[in-house]
Amino acid sequence: MTEKTDLTALLGSRICHDLISPIGAIGNGVELLLMDGAIRGPEMALILESVTHANARIRFFRVAFGATTLDQRIGRPEILSIVSDLTRGGRLQIDWEGPTDLPRREVKLAFLLLLCLETAMAYGGRIRVERNDARWLLLGQANKMKIEPDLWEMLSNPMAQVEISAARVQFALVPDEMSRQGRRLTSEIRESEIRLSF
């Protein structure tokens, strides 16, 4: 019996695939203009910073929202590159620890949970991601958390009736992806710490 097609993930893959090349091309064009000395100034620096951030987000989204197959893998260098570019200059830091080669499906789930943690850690903080013996741990720590209890209930109770906005869609996708992978999420939420494992 084949797995039901995940249309949401296919849509995510299509959008990211179609955007990643032009965003990369814009970034390359801006770098060439800077090297050439044709255009300089704060305006060009702002454009370069924006393109770099957009490129980092689209690479992250490609893994978090994109389609995966059972045999797809992703290497630690690629993950570290994505996470480093994503957090550069921001208030949130991510420490990624684990094997050099991972199933892309598992990383997809970890990335979706990183988005959930990012929502709660809007004021900044540090997230540690570990994988040992096929078990994952994501530990988010911050001086100030912004917890929306209804959203976090969705992660452990897919039947919870919660109105979801586009900015919070990751909370709705996690339970489906957990089910698809035959995994179960455990979570502990404290005043300055969120611990997630699956």
Side-chain angles (χ1 to χ4, degrees):
M1 185 172 171
T2 59
E3 193 175 84
K4 184 179 176 190
T5 303
D6 185 351
L7 294 177
T8 305
L10 289 176
L11 178 61
S13 288
R14 174 61 192 263
I15 291 170
C16 291
H17 178 271
D18 287 359
L19 291 178
I20 205 161
S21 292
I23 289 173
I26 293 167
N28 291 339
V30 170
E31 285 180 9
L32 286 172
L33 287 171
L34 287 170
M35 285 180 2
D36 202 25
I39 303 175
R40 292 189 182 268
E43 299 88 355
M44 188 55 73
L46 180 61
I47 292 169
L48 182 59
E49 182 183 329
S50 297
V51 169
T52 301
H53 184 69
N55 192 34
R57 290 304 276 189
I58 204 78
R59 289 171 62 216
F60 184 88
F61 290 159
R62 192 177 198 180
V63 176
F65 298 123
T68 62
T69 60
L70 283 169
D71 58 344
Q72 275 185 303
R73 312 287 291 179
I74 185 168
R76 180 180 164 87
E78 183 178 354
I79 294 168
L80 292 178
S81 171
I82 292 170
V83 168
S84 172
D85 289 349
L86 186 72
T87 57
R88 184 174 290 123
R91 292 177 289 187
L92 190 65
Q93 295 303 310
I94 301 172
D95 301 321
W96 187 281
E97 300 172 19
T100 57
D101 183 56
L102 289 162
R104 191 177 179 107
R105 307 180 92 190
E106 293 182 21
V107 176
K108 173 188 174 99
L109 200 40
F111 275 22
L112 285 171
L113 289 170
L114 282 174
L115 288 172
C116 294
L117 288 169
E118 182 184 58
T119 301
M121 300 168 71
Y123 309 105
R126 184 171 289 275
I127 300 171
R128 190 173 82 240
V129 183
E130 298 176 4
R131 183 185 183 271
N132 299 311
D133 301 326
R135 188 94 182 135
W136 289 80
L137 170 68
L138 288 85
L139 180 65
Q141 297 175 310
N143 293 329
K144 187 176 180 183
M145 293 280 191
K146 183 181 173 186
I147 304 294
E148 298 173 65
D150 290 349
L151 288 175
W152 288 91
E153 185 189 348
M154 277 190 79
L155 296 183
S156 56
N157 178 12
M159 303 309 290
Q161 299 295 312
V162 182
E163 191 171 325
I164 292 291
S165 66
R168 306 291 190 258
V169 70
Q170 59 271 17
F171 286 92
L173 293 174
V174 166
D176 287 345
E177 192 59 35
M178 284 285 174
S179 175
R180 191 173 287 111
Q181 295 189 28
R183 291 179 171 270
R184 193 171 144 281
L185 179 72
T186 59
S187 61
E188 297 173 42
I189 301 174
R190 301 187 181 123
E191 188 177 337
S192 59
E193 181 180 286
I194 298 175
R195 181 182 292 264
L196 304 171
S197 61
F198 64 91

